[in-house]
Amino acid sequence: MDCNLAVMDESNGSLNAQHAQIDRELDAVVAAGRASRWPEYRRHLGVLREGLAQHIGFEEEALFPALEHRAAAAVKALREDHAQIRRHLETLGAAAPEQDPAGCLAELDNLAGLLRAHHEAEMALDPQYASRPMPPLVLEHSPALDLRGLQPPEPIVRIFQALERDPGARLRVILPHEPVPLYGLLRERGYSYAGAPRADGGFEVLIERS
C-alpha cells in the first residue's frame, strides 16, 4: 500500500468495517479535544469528515437505491440522517475549539449518538448490511484543508498561507462551492488546479505547482 495513504478498513471492504473505523476516528477526535490537543483534534476531525463523506457517498449511490423499492419511507429517514450528519460536521468545521471546547465536545457527543442510531436503523432495515461488500475508505494522512463555514475572503487567505508555508507540496481544499475567482489567482502565481463536487455537497480542489 502507498505509505502516504491510510485505508480506513483493516480487514475487508464491508460497510460494517467502514462504520467501525469511523467510530474509532470519532473517538480519536473526542480524546484529542478532551486533552486540549488542538492540532491533533483538527487532524482527526479532517479525517473523520473525509471518511464520513466517502461512506455516505457509498450508501447513497450503491445501497439506498437497492432498498428504496421495498422500504421507501425507511430509506428517506436514513437520507435525512445523512443531511443531519453533514450539518453536525459543518458546525464542527466552522467552530473554534480552543474558544469553546465544551460546545465542540457536546456537538461530537450528539454526532456520535446520531451515528449509532443511524447504524442500528440500517442493520434493522437490511440484515445483510454488515457484510455487504464495499470498497475500503482510503484517505490521505494529510486531510484536506476544510474551509467551509468561513466568510470571504478568509478561505482564499488561508489557501495562500498554506501554499506559502510549503510551496512545493500539493494542497487539497474543501469549499462550499466551486471557487471560480480563486482559479485566476492560482494561475497568476504559477499553480495548476483540478476540482470536483463532493458527495457531502462541498467542492474539493487539488492545487499544485504547474
Side-chain angles (χ1 to χ4, degrees):
M1 182 178 69
D2 189 326
C3 63
N4 292 321
L5 298 179
V7 178
M8 293 187 69
D9 170 23
E10 297 85 351
S11 58
N12 61 69
S14 71
L15 282 163
N16 208 43
Q18 289 184 4
H19 266 285
Q21 183 58 33
I22 287 168
D23 289 344
R24 285 192 289 274
E25 201 62 45
L26 178 57
D27 289 343
V29 180
V30 172
R34 286 176 176 163
S36 300
R37 299 192 298 268
W38 303 122
E40 181 182 340
Y41 171 96
R42 287 191 171 87
R43 185 169 65 254
H44 283 295
L45 180 61
V47 174
L48 175 67
R49 292 183 70 164
E50 177 68 17
L52 279 168
Q54 290 187 28
H55 180 73
I56 286 171
F58 289 144
E59 290 190 334
E60 294 193 343
E61 294 169 15
L63 177 64
F64 290 175
L67 299 175
E68 269 177 320
H69 70 283
R70 65 178 175 84
V75 172
K76 181 181 178 182
L78 293 174
R79 290 187 187 277
E80 290 170 354
D81 285 349
H82 282 178
Q84 192 173 350
I85 289 167
R86 292 184 182 108
R87 287 193 292 271
H88 280 298
L89 292 172
E90 288 169 5
T91 298
L92 288 163
E98 302 92 335
Q99 298 175 16
D100 186 18
C104 289
L105 289 170
E107 191 73 20
L108 286 165
D109 187 59
N110 290 336
L111 174 60
L114 174 59
L115 289 172
R116 284 193 299 271
H118 181 75
H119 193 192
E120 289 169 2
E122 288 169 332
M123 294 290 287
L125 176 61
D126 177 21
Q128 283 77 47
Y129 179 92
S131 59
R132 279 184 178 270
M134 277 287 159
L137 300 175
V138 180
L139 303 177
E140 294 187 15
H141 278 296
S142 297
L145 183 62
D146 196 330
L147 301 174
R148 291 173 291 188
L150 299 178
Q151 295 298 315
E154 189 65 19
I156 288 178
V157 170
R158 293 202 186 187
I159 287 170
F160 284 108
Q161 286 175 342
L163 292 171
E164 288 170 7
R165 284 195 298 270
D166 195 352
R170 302 169 79 194
L171 177 67
R172 290 191 308 127
V173 297
I174 303 172
L175 298 144
H177 48 72
E178 186 174 11
V180 175
L182 173 66
Y183 296 157
L185 298 174
L186 290 170
R187 288 193 297 270
E188 290 173 4
R189 290 162 174 79
Y191 289 96
S192 61
Y193 53 85
R198 289 165 53 92
D200 62 2
F203 195 91
E204 185 167 329
V205 181
L206 175 65
I207 303 168
E208 55 190 334
R209 275 291 181 190
S210 299

